[in-house]
Amino acid sequence: MENNFFKNIQKIKFEGKESDNPLAYRYYNPDQQVMGKSMRDHFKFAMAYWHSMNDNGADPFGRITNHYPWNQETDALQQAKNRADAAFEFLQIMGFDYFCFHDIDLIAEGSSLAETEKRVAQITSYIKEKQQQTGIKVLWGTANCFSNPVYMNGAITNPDFRVASRAAAQIKIAFDASMELGAENYVFWGGREGYLSLLNTDMKRELDHLGVFFNRMVDYAKEQGFKGNFFIEPKPAEPTKHQYDFDSATVIGFLNQYGLQDHFKLNIEVNHATLAQHTFEHELQVAANAGMLGSIDANRGDNQNGWDTDQFSINLYETIEAMLVFLKSGGLQGGGINFDAKVRRNSTDLEDLFIAHIQGADTFARGLLAAEHILTNTAYTDMLQQRYQSYDGGQGKAFEKGELSIADLYKIGINQGDIPHTSGKQELYESILANSF
Ligand code: XLS
Ligand code: NI
Ligand code: NI
């Protein structure tokens, strides 16, 4: 493989935890088996095209800091091809099998949607060839229905049908491109689906529109022979003040209400969980409870900031707790771990991109190994089982099965004398966690 954009960076190898090479994996060893599955298959690590290839460091207060060499060409198609070349070089160096994209990450939007459609088709056939040469796959595709000013009042939930139908057309184009590239999943993230003020919003009507649209997407995907999964990615706010896909529980309620529960799963993002005042592991568990734990957008927030900072994962404690839920619920259904994270505005060396992804992958690998240790070599599983053992037999079991009436419960409850305190042992659980790596 000849690198044009990353000439000085060699393929990233696993060197083990004693290595002091910042361009090597210390914990992510793709072929290592963990609870009967290789790390590669557990994680299906993916690069997020929008951050890793398109982000330029600009923020609301300052201009571009990262002038990536692949984004300098002014002709849209040539620029898109350069960017695809860089993406595939990057993925091969990292040893990642997947990437995720929005339609307009691949190529700049045209002046009309019809022009954008032509452009997307051109770059899709270019990328398809590169996939055939390298074996690199698409974890999921999606449509960016939030950047274009036409969506300022919403996309599918826009009060104006002209905009809603435009969004539907854009999503069809992005879905078709995703299928063309063999995407294993398709994501809906509704950055503008919500409201800024309830005063000017008919919430019920907007939600009904979203429900109808998703049902029509289910029909369309079936007609097209799509074998993958649809994922909804919850987020409470930002850019819109209140987003309809607030958190896992809200999305599951919505899916059930509109008859979509058999056709969708969830894509859980760490920083979205914390924005919703939940932990990452809480959001994963809620999705797993519903049999809808589909995929993960990996990143981390900042404890002092209340927005989606999309930093790379380094929070080991958080990741171990997440990997416990992950292993206990049998992993992800169809999805993988997509690094929806960006290097900071002042991280301007090309190698920073690699260091960031390596550390992200190592954090997940380390978290997985620690979770495996907790589940197989400590008292954790027994402790948890014992905590609920009063439901494993006798009256507790009868209650669990719905066999006790309120009168039965009354009789049992009132006749049992003093109930001794049973310690919740939280600190013991925490010490198991803290000593697991
Ligand atoms: C934004 C979202 C977005 C989705 C894809 O906060 O995380 O990047 O993952 O549209
Ligand atoms: Ni995301
Ligand atoms: Ni996000």
Side-chain angles (χ1 to χ4, degrees):
M1 170 180 79
E2 212 196 306
N3 290 329
N4 290 317
F5 292 109
F6 307 110
K7 282 198 167 49
N8 303 321
I9 309 215
Q10 312 302 318
K11 173 130 178 105
I12 311 299
K13 297 202 195 84
F14 171 71
E15 291 185 3
K17 67 176 176 200
E18 305 306 330
S19 171
D20 59 3
N21 175 6
L23 292 172
Y25 294 118
R26 290 179 186 72
Y27 295 91
Y28 178 53
N29 186 5
D31 298 317
Q32 186 176 332
Q33 296 289 310
V34 179
M35 297 187 94
K37 211 176 183 183
S38 70
M39 285 192 177
R40 180 195 300 279
D41 292 343
H42 270 296
F43 293 134
K44 293 164 75 177
F45 283 135
M47 176 200 82
Y49 220 92
W50 53 103
H51 286 311
S52 302
M53 292 297 126
N54 295 55
D55 190 67
N56 57 24
D59 71 13
F61 301 92
R63 292 190 295 273
I64 295 173
T65 54
N66 263 324
H67 297 270
Y68 285 142
W70 51 87
N71 289 335
Q72 301 316 310
E73 181 67 50
T74 46
D75 174 72
L77 182 59
Q78 192 53 51
Q79 184 197 102
K81 287 182 175 174
N82 292 351
R83 186 152 63 242
D85 291 347
F88 278 76
E89 277 183 24
F90 179 82
L91 288 161
Q92 286 175 279
I93 295 173
M94 290 299 302
F96 283 7
D97 299 325
Y98 290 93
F99 67 95
C100 299
F101 69 93
H102 302 85
D103 45 1
I104 58 173
D105 302 335
L106 303 182
I107 191 159
E109 253 181 306
S111 52
S112 66
L113 186 56
E115 171 62 19
T116 302
E117 180 173 29
K118 270 191 218 137
R119 290 186 178 193
V120 168
Q122 284 172 315
I123 194 63
T124 300
S125 60
Y126 184 75
I127 289 178
K128 196 172 174 176
E129 260 175 52
K130 299 188 77 74
Q131 287 184 289
Q132 281 155 0
Q133 288 154 15
T134 59
I136 286 169
K137 296 172 274 192
V138 173
L139 187 65
W140 50 260
T142 189
N144 176 333
C145 290
F146 45 92
S147 295
N148 192 310
V150 74
Y151 299 126
M152 67 179 188
N153 289 304
I156 298 296
T157 61
N158 200 293
D160 184 338
F161 176 64
R162 290 172 301 180
V163 181
S165 58
R166 187 213 194 264
Q170 190 185 331
I171 291 168
K172 178 197 176 288
I173 296 164
F175 177 81
D176 290 348
S178 302
M179 267 198 79
E180 180 69 14
L181 297 179
E184 296 184 11
N185 307 283
Y186 186 85
V187 162
F188 298 91
W189 171 64
R192 304 278 174 197
E193 311 294 19
Y195 62 83
L196 299 168
S197 166
L198 199 51
L199 285 173
N200 65 3
T201 304
D202 185 336
M203 193 207 284
K204 167 88 169 65
R205 211 164 173 185
E206 292 193 3
L207 280 165
D208 286 349
H209 296 166
L210 199 57
V212 166
F213 172 73
F214 283 142
N215 273 288
R216 295 296 76 75
M217 276 305 293
V218 168
D219 299 341
Y220 181 68
K222 206 168 168 192
E223 274 163 36
Q224 301 302 306
F226 181 57
K227 295 276 171 297
N229 300 286
F230 278 158
F231 295 147
I232 289 185
E233 184 178 322
K235 186 176 184 182
E238 195 199 0
T240 300
K241 174 198 144 67
H242 181 101
Q243 279 160 209
Y244 292 138
D245 299 332
F246 196 93
D247 60 0
S248 293
T250 308
V251 170
I252 292 165
F254 169 87
L255 292 172
N256 286 331
Q257 184 177 350
Y258 290 95
L260 293 160
Q261 64 280 1
D262 296 334
H263 307 286
F264 282 77
K265 296 183 175 65
L266 272 56
N267 178 33
I268 308 294
E269 180 161 321
V270 188
N271 207 165
H272 298 183
T274 51
L275 277 178
Q277 305 289 319
H278 299 306
T279 59
F280 177 30
E281 61 272 20
H282 169 93
E283 287 293 85
L284 295 176
Q285 185 66 60
V286 171
N289 294 347
M292 292 185 191
L293 180 52
S295 205
I296 287 176
D297 269 11
N299 55 27
R300 76 177 205 276
D302 179 303
N303 287 340
Q304 285 73 45
N305 279 342
W307 67 88
D308 196 12
T309 60
D310 284 344
Q311 288 160 263
F312 277 86
S313 319
I314 58 161
N315 187 333
L316 188 54
Y317 279 98
E318 178 177 69
T319 310
I320 297 171
E321 290 209 46
M323 289 297 99
L324 270 176
V325 177
F326 175 100
L327 284 177
K328 286 198 286 179
S329 36
L332 304 171
Q333 298 188 41
I337 310 270
N338 167 46
F339 289 106
D340 192 351
K342 60 186 172 195
V343 296
R344 298 302 87 188
R345 169 175 164 76
N346 57 350
S347 298
T348 49
D349 291 340
L350 279 186
E351 72 159 20
D352 296 331
L353 262 185
F354 292 89
I355 294 170
H357 285 82
I358 291 167
Q359 189 51 51
D362 270 346
T363 299
F364 272 85
R366 211 174 169 186
L368 186 77
L369 292 168
E372 177 196 36
H373 171 78
I374 292 171
L375 292 174
T376 56
N377 292 324
T378 72
Y380 173 85
T381 307
D382 287 345
M383 282 161 55
L384 201 55
Q385 191 250 319
Q386 271 165 32
R387 196 159 189 237
Y388 293 88
Q389 73 176 355
S390 60
Y391 295 95
D392 290 341
Q395 292 166 325
K397 190 166 190 182
F399 165 75
E400 204 168 77
K401 287 160 74 184
E403 292 167 1
L404 299 187
S405 68
I406 294 301
D408 296 333
L409 287 167
Y410 168 78
K411 236 186 270 160
I412 298 165
I414 208 161
N415 285 319
Q416 60 194 342
D418 283 347
I419 303 168
H421 284 323
T422 305
S423 173
K425 309 302 285 181
Q426 182 174 326
E427 295 75 10
L428 179 57
Y429 283 89
E430 286 171 349
S431 84
I432 290 175
L433 178 88
N435 290 297
S436 64
F437 54 91

